[in-house]
């Protein structure tokens, strides 16, 4: 099944990309580093679309959404779920933004919306997340979206998790 996603928040659109986005993907794939070529971008888009086609309700292989700043339509980052590592019990949440967009609450906005989508639409059972030891901003993002800190992982990074019941109970508390 083709799996096109579009999530809108106050400041952002999170969406799957198509071949029509080749220029945005080429310029933003590496965020703060050099752009990739158009043929490389084409390969990345094919890879994402092929992953998305394998995702089904309750089970995600890999979901990679472009983070687009609504005011300017600029591609400013990537956000999604990765369950390509079969050793993982559940998918890993990921988010990354161009550095000139840091410190504005946008990663929290993107990650929170993705979490909502993962439980409400994809019907996932649980999600985990990790932040490198020096990445306090990322640790804070997971705290702010109500993921539960479970301690340090094997590499000394911060490990977080949240399951469906915890998510629903937080939603009820906020409702
Ligand atoms: C992680 C990342 C997305 C953060 O983006 P961001 O948009 O700046 O995050 P937000 O503004 O939503 O929130 C950042 C929070 O961290 C806090 N923070 C930032 N730097 C911090 C530091 N050095 N120490 C403690 N807290 C810090 C901010 O104050 C904010 O918390 P607050 O709202 O309580 O004040 C960005 O740093 C990034 O792209 N990093 C590289 C990729 C990465 O590590 N991804 C995460 C793992 S998948």
């Amino acid at each position: 099944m083709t799996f096109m996603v579009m999530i809108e928040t106050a400041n952002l659109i999170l969406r799957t990309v198509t071949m029509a986005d080749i220029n945005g993907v080429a310029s933003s794939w590496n965020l703060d580093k050099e752009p990739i070529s158009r043929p490389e971008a084409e390969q990345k888009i094919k890879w994402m679309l092929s992953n998305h086609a394998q995702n089904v309700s309750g089970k995600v292989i890999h979901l990679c959404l472009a983070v687009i700043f609504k005011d300017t339509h600029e591609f400013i980052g990537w956000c999604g779920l990765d369950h390509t590592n079969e050793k993982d019990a559940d998918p890993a949440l990921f988010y990354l933004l161009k550095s000139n967009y840091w410190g504005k609450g946008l990663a929290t906005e993107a990650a929170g919306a993705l979490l909502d989508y993962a439980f409400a639409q994809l019907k996932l059972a649980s999600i985990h997340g990790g932040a490198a030891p020096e990445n306090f901003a990322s640790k804070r993002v997971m705290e702010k979206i109500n993921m539960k800190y479970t301690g340090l992982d094997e590499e000394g990074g911060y490990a977080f998790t949240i399951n469906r019941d915890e998510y629903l109970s937080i939603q009820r508390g906020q409702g």
Side-chain angles (χ1 to χ4, degrees), residues 70-122:
K70 280 203 306 199
D71 275 2
T72 59
H73 308 291
E74 188 188 349
F75 279 60
I76 66 165
W78 300 96
C79 176
L81 295 162
D82 179 9
H83 201 176
T84 51
N85 185 346
E86 289 175 4
K87 287 186 192 154
D88 286 341
D90 54 13
L93 174 68
F94 67 88
Y95 41 85
L96 44 163
L97 295 181
K98 285 184 181 173
S99 56
N100 55 327
Y101 284 89
W102 293 0
K104 303 174 196 293
L106 297 177
T108 304
E109 195 171 311
L114 210 275
L115 208 59
D116 290 342
Y117 184 80
F119 288 117
Q121 305 296 323
L122 297 175

Short mmCIF file of all heavy atoms in Angstrom, two decimals, residues 70-122:
data_model
loop_
_atom_site.label_atom_id
_atom_site.label_comp_id
_atom_site.label_asym_id
_atom_site.label_seq_id
_atom_site.Cartn_x
_atom_site.Cartn_y
_atom_site.Cartn_z
N LYS A 70 5.84 26.21 7.77
CA LYS A 70 4.66 26.65 7.01
C LYS A 70 4.82 28.06 6.44
O LYS A 70 4.44 28.30 5.29
CB LYS A 70 3.43 26.62 7.93
CG LYS A 70 2.84 25.25 8.09
CD LYS A 70 1.37 25.19 8.49
CE LYS A 70 0.94 25.90 9.69
NZ LYS A 70 -0.35 25.44 10.25
N ASP A 71 5.43 28.97 7.21
CA ASP A 71 5.50 30.37 6.76
C ASP A 71 6.26 30.52 5.46
O ASP A 71 5.91 31.36 4.63
CB ASP A 71 6.20 31.23 7.82
CG ASP A 71 5.23 31.68 8.89
OD1 ASP A 71 4.05 31.28 8.80
OD2 ASP A 71 5.65 32.41 9.80
N THR A 72 7.34 29.73 5.29
CA THR A 72 8.22 29.91 4.14
C THR A 72 8.22 28.72 3.18
O THR A 72 8.87 28.77 2.14
CB THR A 72 9.67 30.11 4.63
OG1 THR A 72 10.03 28.95 5.38
CG2 THR A 72 9.81 31.34 5.50
N HIS A 73 7.56 27.63 3.55
CA HIS A 73 7.54 26.37 2.79
C HIS A 73 8.92 25.72 2.72
O HIS A 73 9.17 24.87 1.87
CB HIS A 73 6.99 26.56 1.36
CG HIS A 73 5.67 27.24 1.32
ND1 HIS A 73 4.52 26.65 1.78
CD2 HIS A 73 5.31 28.48 0.91
CE1 HIS A 73 3.51 27.50 1.65
NE2 HIS A 73 3.96 28.62 1.14
N GLU A 74 9.83 26.16 3.57
CA GLU A 74 11.19 25.60 3.53
C GLU A 74 11.25 24.22 4.19
O GLU A 74 10.58 23.98 5.20
CB GLU A 74 12.16 26.55 4.28
CG GLU A 74 13.62 26.14 4.10
CD GLU A 74 14.58 26.96 4.99
OE1 GLU A 74 14.16 27.95 5.57
OE2 GLU A 74 15.75 26.55 5.08
N PHE A 75 12.04 23.33 3.59
CA PHE A 75 12.32 22.03 4.22
C PHE A 75 13.34 22.29 5.34
O PHE A 75 14.47 22.69 5.06
CB PHE A 75 12.96 21.06 3.21
CG PHE A 75 11.98 20.38 2.31
CD1 PHE A 75 11.17 21.12 1.46
CD2 PHE A 75 11.89 19.00 2.27
CE1 PHE A 75 10.27 20.48 0.62
CE2 PHE A 75 10.99 18.37 1.43
CZ PHE A 75 10.18 19.11 0.60
N ILE A 76 12.95 22.07 6.59
CA ILE A 76 13.86 22.41 7.69
C ILE A 76 14.32 21.20 8.49
O ILE A 76 15.10 21.34 9.42
CB ILE A 76 13.24 23.46 8.64
CG1 ILE A 76 12.02 22.89 9.38
CG2 ILE A 76 12.88 24.73 7.88
CD1 ILE A 76 11.60 23.75 10.58
N GLY A 77 13.83 20.02 8.15
CA GLY A 77 14.29 18.86 8.90
C GLY A 77 13.54 17.58 8.54
O GLY A 77 12.80 17.54 7.55
N TRP A 78 13.76 16.60 9.38
CA TRP A 78 13.17 15.27 9.18
C TRP A 78 12.70 14.73 10.52
O TRP A 78 13.31 15.03 11.55
CB TRP A 78 14.22 14.32 8.58
CG TRP A 78 14.72 14.78 7.25
CD1 TRP A 78 15.84 15.51 7.02
CD2 TRP A 78 14.07 14.60 5.99
NE1 TRP A 78 15.95 15.79 5.67
CE2 TRP A 78 14.88 15.25 5.02
CE3 TRP A 78 12.91 13.97 5.56
CZ2 TRP A 78 14.55 15.27 3.66
CZ3 TRP A 78 12.58 13.99 4.21
CH2 TRP A 78 13.40 14.63 3.28
N CYS A 79 11.66 13.94 10.46
CA CYS A 79 11.08 13.42 11.69
C CYS A 79 10.39 12.10 11.33
O CYS A 79 9.82 11.99 10.24
CB CYS A 79 10.05 14.44 12.16
SG CYS A 79 9.12 13.98 13.60
N GLY A 80 10.47 11.12 12.20
CA GLY A 80 9.82 9.87 11.85
C GLY A 80 10.02 8.76 12.84
O GLY A 80 10.35 8.99 14.02
N LEU A 81 9.82 7.55 12.34
CA LEU A 81 9.89 6.34 13.15
C LEU A 81 10.73 5.32 12.40
O LEU A 81 10.54 5.12 11.19
CB LEU A 81 8.49 5.76 13.35
CG LEU A 81 7.52 6.62 14.15
CD1 LEU A 81 6.08 6.15 13.92
CD2 LEU A 81 7.86 6.57 15.64
N ASP A 82 11.63 4.68 13.12
CA ASP A 82 12.54 3.72 12.48
C ASP A 82 12.47 2.39 13.21
O ASP A 82 12.80 2.30 14.39
CB ASP A 82 13.97 4.28 12.55
CG ASP A 82 14.99 3.33 11.94
OD1 ASP A 82 14.58 2.33 11.31
OD2 ASP A 82 16.20 3.61 12.09
N HIS A 83 12.01 1.37 12.47
CA HIS A 83 12.04 0.03 13.06
C HIS A 83 12.76 -0.93 12.11
O HIS A 83 12.34 -2.09 11.94
CB HIS A 83 10.61 -0.46 13.36
CG HIS A 83 10.59 -1.54 14.39
ND1 HIS A 83 9.44 -2.10 14.88
CD2 HIS A 83 11.59 -2.18 15.04
CE1 HIS A 83 9.74 -3.02 15.78
NE2 HIS A 83 11.03 -3.10 15.88
N THR A 84 13.83 -0.43 11.49
CA THR A 84 14.60 -1.29 10.59
C THR A 84 15.54 -2.21 11.37
O THR A 84 16.01 -3.20 10.84
CB THR A 84 15.42 -0.45 9.59
OG1 THR A 84 16.16 0.53 10.32
CG2 THR A 84 14.53 0.25 8.59
N ASN A 85 15.81 -1.87 12.64
CA ASN A 85 16.65 -2.75 13.46
C ASN A 85 15.75 -3.79 14.12
O ASN A 85 14.98 -3.49 15.03
CB ASN A 85 17.38 -1.93 14.53
CG ASN A 85 18.35 -2.79 15.32
OD1 ASN A 85 18.29 -4.02 15.27
ND2 ASN A 85 19.24 -2.15 16.06
N GLU A 86 15.87 -5.03 13.65
CA GLU A 86 14.95 -6.07 14.12
C GLU A 86 15.17 -6.44 15.58
O GLU A 86 14.32 -7.08 16.19
CB GLU A 86 15.05 -7.30 13.21
CG GLU A 86 14.45 -7.02 11.85
CD GLU A 86 14.63 -8.18 10.88
OE1 GLU A 86 15.15 -9.22 11.30
OE2 GLU A 86 14.24 -8.00 9.71
N LYS A 87 16.33 -6.03 16.12
CA LYS A 87 16.56 -6.32 17.55
C LYS A 87 15.69 -5.44 18.44
O LYS A 87 15.47 -5.75 19.61
CB LYS A 87 18.04 -6.06 17.89
CG LYS A 87 18.97 -7.11 17.33
CD LYS A 87 20.39 -6.85 17.85
CE LYS A 87 21.40 -7.69 17.09
NZ LYS A 87 22.73 -7.07 17.10
N ASP A 88 15.24 -4.30 17.90
CA ASP A 88 14.41 -3.39 18.71
C ASP A 88 13.01 -3.95 18.87
O ASP A 88 12.39 -4.42 17.91
CB ASP A 88 14.31 -2.02 18.02
CG ASP A 88 15.61 -1.23 18.14
OD1 ASP A 88 16.43 -1.56 19.00
OD2 ASP A 88 15.78 -0.29 17.34
N ALA A 89 12.50 -3.85 20.09
CA ALA A 89 11.14 -4.34 20.35
C ALA A 89 10.10 -3.45 19.69
O ALA A 89 9.00 -3.89 19.36
CB ALA A 89 10.90 -4.40 21.85
N ASP A 90 10.43 -2.17 19.51
CA ASP A 90 9.45 -1.23 18.96
C ASP A 90 10.18 -0.16 18.15
O ASP A 90 11.42 -0.08 18.19
CB ASP A 90 8.61 -0.62 20.09
CG ASP A 90 9.45 0.02 21.17
OD1 ASP A 90 10.66 0.22 20.95
OD2 ASP A 90 8.91 0.33 22.24
N PRO A 91 9.46 0.68 17.41
CA PRO A 91 10.12 1.69 16.57
C PRO A 91 10.76 2.80 17.40
O PRO A 91 10.30 3.12 18.50
CB PRO A 91 8.98 2.27 15.73
CG PRO A 91 7.81 1.39 15.92
CD PRO A 91 7.99 0.69 17.22
N ALA A 92 11.80 3.40 16.82
CA ALA A 92 12.49 4.53 17.46
C ALA A 92 12.00 5.82 16.83
O ALA A 92 11.95 5.95 15.60
CB ALA A 92 13.99 4.40 17.26
N LEU A 93 11.66 6.77 17.69
CA LEU A 93 11.29 8.11 17.24
C LEU A 93 12.57 8.88 16.88
O LEU A 93 13.55 8.80 17.61
CB LEU A 93 10.58 8.83 18.40
CG LEU A 93 10.20 10.29 18.22
CD1 LEU A 93 9.10 10.44 17.17
CD2 LEU A 93 9.73 10.86 19.56
N PHE A 94 12.55 9.60 15.75
CA PHE A 94 13.70 10.45 15.45
C PHE A 94 13.23 11.81 14.93
O PHE A 94 12.13 11.95 14.40
CB PHE A 94 14.66 9.79 14.44
CG PHE A 94 14.10 9.60 13.05
CD1 PHE A 94 14.22 10.59 12.09
CD2 PHE A 94 13.44 8.42 12.70
CE1 PHE A 94 13.71 10.42 10.80
CE2 PHE A 94 12.93 8.25 11.41
CZ PHE A 94 13.06 9.24 10.47
N TYR A 95 14.07 12.81 15.13
CA TYR A 95 13.77 14.17 14.67
C TYR A 95 15.08 14.93 14.58
O TYR A 95 15.96 14.76 15.42
CB TYR A 95 12.80 14.90 15.63
CG TYR A 95 13.11 14.65 17.08
CD1 TYR A 95 14.06 15.42 17.76
CD2 TYR A 95 12.51 13.60 17.75
CE1 TYR A 95 14.38 15.16 19.07
CE2 TYR A 95 12.84 13.31 19.06
CZ TYR A 95 13.77 14.09 19.71
OH TYR A 95 14.10 13.81 21.02
N LEU A 96 15.24 15.69 13.56
CA LEU A 96 16.43 16.52 13.39
C LEU A 96 16.04 17.75 12.59
O LEU A 96 15.22 17.66 11.68
CB LEU A 96 17.59 15.76 12.76
CG LEU A 96 17.39 14.83 11.58
CD1 LEU A 96 18.74 14.56 10.91
CD2 LEU A 96 16.81 13.51 12.00
N LEU A 97 16.61 18.89 12.98
CA LEU A 97 16.25 20.15 12.34
C LEU A 97 17.50 20.91 11.95
O LEU A 97 18.54 20.77 12.60
CB LEU A 97 15.47 21.05 13.32
CG LEU A 97 14.10 20.58 13.81
CD1 LEU A 97 13.51 21.64 14.74
CD2 LEU A 97 13.15 20.33 12.65
N LYS A 98 17.39 21.77 10.93
CA LYS A 98 18.48 22.69 10.61
C LYS A 98 18.75 23.56 11.83
O LYS A 98 17.81 24.02 12.50
CB LYS A 98 18.07 23.60 9.44
CG LYS A 98 18.09 22.90 8.11
CD LYS A 98 17.77 23.88 6.99
CE LYS A 98 17.78 23.15 5.66
NZ LYS A 98 17.32 23.98 4.55
N SER A 99 20.04 23.83 12.08
CA SER A 99 20.39 24.47 13.35
C SER A 99 19.81 25.88 13.51
O SER A 99 19.56 26.33 14.63
CB SER A 99 21.90 24.49 13.54
OG SER A 99 22.51 25.13 12.45
N ASN A 100 19.57 26.58 12.38
CA ASN A 100 19.02 27.93 12.55
C ASN A 100 17.55 27.90 12.96
O ASN A 100 16.96 28.95 13.23
CB ASN A 100 19.26 28.82 11.31
CG ASN A 100 18.74 28.21 10.05
OD1 ASN A 100 18.75 26.99 9.89
ND2 ASN A 100 18.28 29.03 9.13
N TYR A 101 16.97 26.71 13.05
CA TYR A 101 15.59 26.59 13.54
C TYR A 101 15.53 26.03 14.96
O TYR A 101 14.45 25.79 15.48
CB TYR A 101 14.76 25.73 12.58
CG TYR A 101 14.38 26.48 11.33
CD1 TYR A 101 15.22 26.47 10.21
CD2 TYR A 101 13.21 27.23 11.26
CE1 TYR A 101 14.89 27.19 9.06
CE2 TYR A 101 12.88 27.94 10.12
CZ TYR A 101 13.71 27.91 9.02
OH TYR A 101 13.37 28.63 7.90
N TRP A 102 16.68 25.78 15.57
CA TRP A 102 16.69 25.27 16.94
C TRP A 102 16.24 26.35 17.92
O TRP A 102 16.34 27.55 17.64
CB TRP A 102 18.10 24.80 17.35
CG TRP A 102 18.61 23.60 16.61
CD1 TRP A 102 17.97 22.88 15.63
CD2 TRP A 102 19.91 22.99 16.77
NE1 TRP A 102 18.78 21.86 15.18
CE2 TRP A 102 19.97 21.90 15.86
CE3 TRP A 102 21.01 23.24 17.57
CZ2 TRP A 102 21.10 21.09 15.75
CZ3 TRP A 102 22.13 22.42 17.47
CH2 TRP A 102 22.18 21.36 16.56
N GLY A 103 15.81 25.90 19.08
CA GLY A 103 15.50 26.82 20.19
C GLY A 103 14.18 27.56 20.03
O GLY A 103 13.94 28.56 20.70
N LYS A 104 13.31 27.09 19.13
CA LYS A 104 12.02 27.76 18.92
C LYS A 104 10.85 26.84 19.27
O LYS A 104 9.70 27.12 18.93
CB LYS A 104 11.88 28.18 17.45
CG LYS A 104 13.00 29.08 16.93
CD LYS A 104 12.82 29.29 15.42
CE LYS A 104 14.06 29.82 14.74
NZ LYS A 104 14.43 31.17 15.13
N GLY A 105 11.17 25.70 19.87
CA GLY A 105 10.09 24.76 20.23
C GLY A 105 9.63 23.88 19.08
O GLY A 105 8.66 23.13 19.20
N LEU A 106 10.32 23.97 17.92
CA LEU A 106 9.82 23.27 16.73
C LEU A 106 10.04 21.75 16.79
O LEU A 106 9.20 20.98 16.30
CB LEU A 106 10.45 23.85 15.47
CG LEU A 106 10.09 25.32 15.20
CD1 LEU A 106 10.83 25.85 13.97
CD2 LEU A 106 8.58 25.50 15.04
N ALA A 107 11.15 21.31 17.39
CA ALA A 107 11.36 19.86 17.51
C ALA A 107 10.30 19.25 18.42
O ALA A 107 9.76 18.17 18.14
CB ALA A 107 12.76 19.56 18.04
N THR A 108 9.98 19.96 19.49
CA THR A 108 8.93 19.48 20.40
C THR A 108 7.60 19.41 19.66
O THR A 108 6.84 18.44 19.80
CB THR A 108 8.81 20.43 21.61
OG1 THR A 108 10.10 20.52 22.23
CG2 THR A 108 7.80 19.93 22.61
N GLU A 109 7.34 20.43 18.84
CA GLU A 109 6.08 20.47 18.08
C GLU A 109 6.01 19.29 17.10
O GLU A 109 4.99 18.60 17.00
CB GLU A 109 6.03 21.81 17.32
CG GLU A 109 4.69 22.17 16.77
CD GLU A 109 4.68 23.62 16.24
OE1 GLU A 109 5.15 24.54 16.94
OE2 GLU A 109 4.22 23.82 15.11
N ALA A 110 7.12 19.04 16.40
CA ALA A 110 7.16 17.95 15.41
C ALA A 110 7.08 16.59 16.11
O ALA A 110 6.28 15.72 15.71
CB ALA A 110 8.44 18.04 14.58
N ALA A 111 7.89 16.39 17.14
CA ALA A 111 7.94 15.09 17.81
C ALA A 111 6.62 14.78 18.50
O ALA A 111 6.14 13.63 18.48
CB ALA A 111 9.09 15.06 18.81
N GLY A 112 5.99 15.80 19.09
CA GLY A 112 4.70 15.59 19.76
C GLY A 112 3.63 15.19 18.76
O GLY A 112 2.82 14.28 19.01
N ALA A 113 3.63 15.85 17.60
CA ALA A 113 2.63 15.53 16.56
C ALA A 113 2.86 14.12 16.02
O ALA A 113 1.90 13.39 15.75
CB ALA A 113 2.72 16.55 15.43
N LEU A 114 4.12 13.76 15.89
CA LEU A 114 4.44 12.42 15.39
C LEU A 114 3.98 11.34 16.38
O LEU A 114 3.45 10.30 15.98
CB LEU A 114 5.95 12.35 15.16
CG LEU A 114 6.52 11.45 14.08
CD1 LEU A 114 6.70 10.04 14.55
CD2 LEU A 114 5.68 11.46 12.80
N LEU A 115 4.18 11.63 17.66
CA LEU A 115 3.73 10.68 18.69
C LEU A 115 2.21 10.51 18.64
O LEU A 115 1.70 9.39 18.69
CB LEU A 115 4.15 11.24 20.06
CG LEU A 115 4.39 10.25 21.18
CD1 LEU A 115 5.49 9.27 20.81
CD2 LEU A 115 4.78 11.02 22.44
N ASP A 116 1.50 11.62 18.52
CA ASP A 116 0.04 11.55 18.39
C ASP A 116 -0.35 10.69 17.20
O ASP A 116 -1.22 9.83 17.28
CB ASP A 116 -0.57 12.95 18.18
CG ASP A 116 -0.49 13.81 19.43
OD1 ASP A 116 -0.29 13.26 20.53
OD2 ASP A 116 -0.62 15.04 19.30
N TYR A 117 0.30 10.94 16.08
CA TYR A 117 -0.01 10.20 14.86
C TYR A 117 0.28 8.71 15.03
O TYR A 117 -0.50 7.84 14.61
CB TYR A 117 0.82 10.77 13.69
CG TYR A 117 0.48 10.13 12.38
CD1 TYR A 117 -0.64 10.53 11.66
CD2 TYR A 117 1.26 9.10 11.86
CE1 TYR A 117 -0.99 9.92 10.46
CE2 TYR A 117 0.93 8.49 10.66
CZ TYR A 117 -0.19 8.90 9.98
OH TYR A 117 -0.53 8.29 8.80
N ALA A 118 1.41 8.41 15.69
CA ALA A 118 1.83 7.02 15.86
C ALA A 118 0.81 6.22 16.67
O ALA A 118 0.54 5.05 16.35
CB ALA A 118 3.19 6.97 16.54
N PHE A 119 0.26 6.84 17.70
CA PHE A 119 -0.69 6.09 18.53
C PHE A 119 -2.12 6.19 17.99
O PHE A 119 -2.83 5.20 17.96
CB PHE A 119 -0.63 6.57 19.98
CG PHE A 119 0.64 6.12 20.67
CD1 PHE A 119 1.56 7.03 21.14
CD2 PHE A 119 0.90 4.76 20.83
CE1 PHE A 119 2.73 6.61 21.76
CE2 PHE A 119 2.08 4.32 21.45
CZ PHE A 119 2.99 5.25 21.92
N ALA A 120 -2.53 7.39 17.55
CA ALA A 120 -3.92 7.56 17.13
C ALA A 120 -4.19 6.96 15.75
O ALA A 120 -5.23 6.35 15.53
CB ALA A 120 -4.29 9.04 17.14
N GLN A 121 -3.28 7.13 14.82
CA GLN A 121 -3.52 6.69 13.44
C GLN A 121 -2.84 5.36 13.12
O GLN A 121 -3.43 4.49 12.50
CB GLN A 121 -3.03 7.74 12.43
CG GLN A 121 -3.61 9.11 12.63
CD GLN A 121 -5.12 9.14 12.42
OE1 GLN A 121 -5.63 8.45 11.55
NE2 GLN A 121 -5.81 9.90 13.23
N LEU A 122 -1.58 5.23 13.52
CA LEU A 122 -0.85 4.00 13.17
C LEU A 122 -1.13 2.87 14.15
O LEU A 122 -0.76 1.72 13.89
CB LEU A 122 0.66 4.27 13.14
CG LEU A 122 1.14 5.27 12.10
CD1 LEU A 122 2.64 5.53 12.25
CD2 LEU A 122 0.84 4.75 10.70
#
